[in-house]
Amino acid sequence: ATGRFVWHDEPIDATLSLTDFVAALDGDRSGLKLRLTGAPLKFAFDGNISHRPSLKVEGTLAADTASLRDTLRWAAHWTSPGGGFGPFTLKAQTSIVGGHISLSGVNVELDGNVGEGVMTFTSNGRRTLQGTLATGTLDLTRYVSTIRLLNGSDWNRQPITLSDLTGIDVDLRLSAASVTLADAKLGRTAIAANLRGGDLTVAVGESQAFGGVASGSFSLARSNAGTALKTQMQFADIDLNQGLARLIGIRRVEGKGTLVLNLDSTGGSIHEIAQRLNGTANLTSRKGAITGI
């Protein structure tokens, strides 16, 4: 069967092929090929389908789009926060049972970052995405470039909103041989990101940073004041001149040392969060100097 349909105001060309039409009608196993082509995305599936006693689909899936941001907005009316979410491709072995989708042998590319691993998606009740991915080089510059802490000489007063994150729960584990964050370069890094009900927690198991090792966690959660921030991070045995310059803009301390941050705050903007910041910062250094002393 071939034809065209319109979904969310976008025309999609479709081709569907069944190797055993009678078996498919009866719910028995039949070969299935599906192609969808349109401006928002290209999608191809080659495998088998049955729906007795319940829906079961197995095969190879491939999808690509010039803008994942536009595709998400078109398909689910979901707007991803921040920057990035541009060119996207996905290839994987796929198994669908009921509302549960499992992807193995995943090869995914987003904004030039390539990862391999496994992923699952469940739509029973809340939409939930889980996965484990490994990548060589991970460039997060375009995602953090839209986060503006300062507006001129003052803290940014633009409201912070987490409402865009409430449509899906995410449990993602990621490992990378190297990570780029704007002009900061990190070595081997392992992180876990958990998004539930719009509340985001990122745990850093280990990251080779500034000549030492960073670990800890930070979280953003909705609160009566707007957004609640909490961070517990340790930067052990780092190059202080490089590390403090990247983290808090201080270029007056040299040597090796350990920085421990335990901070929390609430507010509706970066300005309010900075005003209400509370906690401790401990610095232990050795064999260094303070601006020549």
Side-chain angles (χ1 to χ4, degrees), residues 2-268:
T2 62
R4 169 175 288 195
F5 63 92
V6 176
W7 190 44
H8 292 180
D9 299 324
E10 287 286 351
I12 303 295
D13 293 317
T15 301
L16 172 67
S17 174
L18 295 168
T19 58
D20 192 329
F21 184 61
V22 175
L25 291 178
D26 290 339
D28 295 329
R29 182 182 175 94
S30 171
L32 169 68
K33 291 184 179 180
L34 177 64
R35 302 288 186 270
L36 302 175
T37 304
L41 87 163
K42 294 180 180 178
F43 175 91
F45 178 83
D46 191 347
N48 299 283
I49 184 173
S50 63
H51 58 87
R52 190 169 58 180
S54 60
L55 177 65
K56 184 176 182 180
V57 181
E58 295 177 320
T60 302
L61 176 150
D64 67 87
T65 176
S67 173
L68 181 60
R69 179 183 296 274
D70 292 342
T71 300
L72 291 173
R73 185 184 298 115
W74 165 75
H77 301 290
W78 184 72
T79 302
S80 54
F85 294 90
F88 171 81
T89 61
L90 171 68
K91 294 181 180 179
Q93 293 296 315
T94 305
S95 175
I96 303 175
V97 178
H100 186 82
I101 303 174
S102 299
L103 304 179
S104 59
V106 172
N107 186 292
V108 60
E109 181 174 351
L110 176 61
D111 295 324
N113 297 310
V114 180
E116 297 180 346
V118 296
M119 302 178 72
T120 62
F121 178 79
T122 303
S123 59
N124 295 329
R126 284 191 59 83
R127 292 179 293 178
T128 303
L129 175 66
Q130 296 177 307
T132 300
L133 295 173
T135 181
T137 301
L138 182 63
D139 189 348
L140 300 177
T141 301
R142 66 184 63 199
Y143 305 102
V144 301
S145 61
T146 57
I147 302 176
R148 297 177 59 191
L149 298 182
L150 295 175
N151 187 5
S153 60
D154 194 11
W155 295 106
N156 193 344
R157 296 174 182 262
Q158 290 294 322
I160 299 174
T161 176
L162 301 179
S163 59
D164 291 337
L165 303 178
T166 59
I168 187 171
D169 293 338
V170 177
D171 185 1
L172 184 63
R173 289 166 174 78
L174 180 66
S175 61
S178 64
V179 178
T180 300
L181 286 165
D183 55 352
K185 307 289 184 180
L186 308 179
R188 186 179 67 250
T189 300
I191 63 175
N194 184 274
L195 176 63
R196 187 170 297 276
D199 298 340
L200 173 66
T201 300
V202 177
V204 182
E206 178 184 88
S207 178
Q208 296 176 341
F210 316 121
V213 176
S215 60
S217 66
F218 66 88
S219 63
L220 294 173
R222 291 174 296 170
S223 71
N224 293 333
T227 299
L229 166 70
K230 185 175 183 179
T231 179
Q232 296 176 322
M233 291 294 300
Q234 175 177 280
F235 300 87
D237 204 30
I238 64 172
D239 181 301
L240 294 176
N241 184 49
Q242 179 189 19
L244 294 180
R246 300 297 188 197
L247 293 171
I248 51 180
I250 294 178
R251 298 180 180 272
R252 298 179 179 274
V253 183
E254 300 175 353
K256 300 283 285 187
T258 296
L259 175 65
V260 179
L261 300 173
N262 287 282
L263 305 172
D264 61 76
S265 185
T266 59

